[in-house]
Amino acid sequence: KIEHDFLRQMAEYSKNLEFEKAVQIKSKLEMLAKLRELKFSPSQYTENPNLAEDQRSLELRSLIDFYNSAISSSWAAPGSVSDSGHLPADATHQALQAGARMTLKYRTNFRIEAYDISNTSGKYSTASMVVFVDGKQSKKDYRKFKIRGLSGPNDYQMMSQVISRRFGHSEWPTPDLLLVDGGLGQVTAATKSLPQGFVIPVIGLAKRLERPVIAGKYRQLPVNNPSVNLLKRVRDEAHRFAKSYHKLLRSKYALSS
């Protein structure tokens, strides 16, 4: 009802060339979309104008706590990582690939990068990189990749290629966490593809199981844990972005053939 009224008002303002008012209504519609994404009602937001931001912070902190708890149960002595995401220069390559041992630290501008692969039987293969900062979409940082030099469906090799290419861009900010759409195989491929000098935790989340892969194991995340919403929201956005680019490539090929 509220959304319908806003759309009607926006159309009216636009028709009357009252564009400033139309933009204000559009902003309200965007806020409603965000509230729906976080499963809030408009009345809740009225009571607490910072509700969306508070919820994102809660989800992120819950994810970090769950991740670190899973790590501590897997390794007796987790390693440490500098704020820049780099290990000491004398660390071995084997240690670099043990990113699953590294605990996460909450900080402002906490950057999650999520990756997904999309193809049709190995054809028109694409990949997406979506970015969430402090639990919020950062669309200006989204990137899309066309898979090169691989034939046939092989998600692991494709994931490996995308991670390698992404970290060839030193001008892009270093992420605090990587999330891949997939299970243990995708997590292993991404972790092994991190270049020497980087160690970044990688989590997998496959749609079939909806159980996060952390430190080489499938974990049972309580359904009432706030981080469930964050993981699914980020993973689903990566899937949507990869699929949209894949459809574009397929359409281009169909038109040119």
Side-chain angles (χ1 to χ4, degrees), residues 123-213:
K123 294 182 178 180
Y124 326 115
S125 301
T126 63
S128 65
M129 179 187 101
V130 302
V131 178
F132 281 62
V133 177
D134 291 338
K136 186 178 181 180
Q137 291 176 341
S138 180
K139 290 192 174 184
K140 66 182 178 62
D141 294 316
Y142 283 21
R143 299 291 183 270
K144 54 192 177 184
F145 302 84
K146 183 189 292 187
I147 301 300
R148 304 169 182 164
L150 293 176
S151 58
N154 191 321
D155 279 7
Y156 303 156
Q157 286 187 3
M158 292 178 187
M159 182 64 70
S160 179
Q161 180 185 126
V162 169
I163 297 298
S164 297
R165 286 168 59 186
R166 179 265 176 266
F167 283 95
H169 290 274
S170 58
E171 73 277 15
W172 297 354
T174 302
D176 296 281
L177 175 67
L178 300 184
L179 175 66
V180 298
D181 186 350
L184 188 57
Q186 282 82 0
V187 170
T188 301
T191 303
K192 286 184 176 180
S193 301
L194 289 172
Q196 190 164 359
F198 283 88
V199 56
I200 300 167
V202 182
I203 294 178
L205 187 66
K207 285 187 177 66
R208 185 171 60 87
L209 296 175
E210 295 289 19
R211 292 172 60 192
V213 176

Side-chain angles (χ1 to χ4, degrees), residues 62-94:
S62 298
L63 175 59
I64 291 172
D65 289 344
F66 180 81
Y67 179 89
N68 289 341
S69 176
I71 292 300
S72 65
S73 68
S74 299
W75 305 98
S80 61
V81 59
S82 69
D83 291 339
S84 65
H86 292 264
L87 282 177
D90 59 350
T92 64
H93 188 65
Q94 182 177 3

